[in-house]
Amino acid sequence: MLEVDLNSLEAALAAGAPLIDVREADEFAQVRVPGAVLIPMSEFVARLGEIPEAETVYVICAVGGRSLQVAEYLQGRDINAVSVRGGTMEWFQSGREVETGEV
């Protein structure tokens, strides 16, 4: 399984699963899922050591394209990663809680 929906992400976050946001810093500051950790796709390979050890690592971007690429990359390195289908924009549009501003 390479992609999950927002309901699956919401349940995983409630259980303490890690969420990596691979958008750029300016996008992250505009709106993000609470608890997401920023590791931009442009810096991802260099920051691979920052990926937390977990049963499943959730990866999110704006709408799902970049996160899917990163999830595939991580799976190729034996890290169980899944992309969040619809991304941050769908999360925001669904009315779920978000955070904004610089970190």
Side-chain angles (χ1 to χ4, degrees), residues 12-49:
L13 290 175
L19 176 63
I20 306 298
D21 192 320
V22 297
R23 299 174 302 150
E24 295 302 316
D26 60 326
E27 296 173 279
F28 189 76
Q30 288 174 5
V31 64
R32 64 186 170 273
V33 175
V37 174
L38 178 64
I39 304 179
M41 188 174 181
S42 61
E43 303 171 12
F44 207 82
V45 174
R47 295 178 63 187
L48 193 58

Side-chain angles (χ1 to χ4, degrees), residues 65-98:
R66 288 174 282 183
S67 59
L68 189 57
Q69 291 177 23
V70 170
E72 288 172 343
Y73 174 83
L74 290 173
Q75 286 196 356
R77 277 137 195 87
D78 295 323
I79 297 171
N80 185 27
V82 293
S83 172
V84 180
R85 187 174 38 252
T88 303
M89 291 305 103
E90 190 172 309
W91 179 277
F92 175 71
Q93 291 168 350
S94 74
R96 289 173 167 89
E97 181 183 351
V98 294

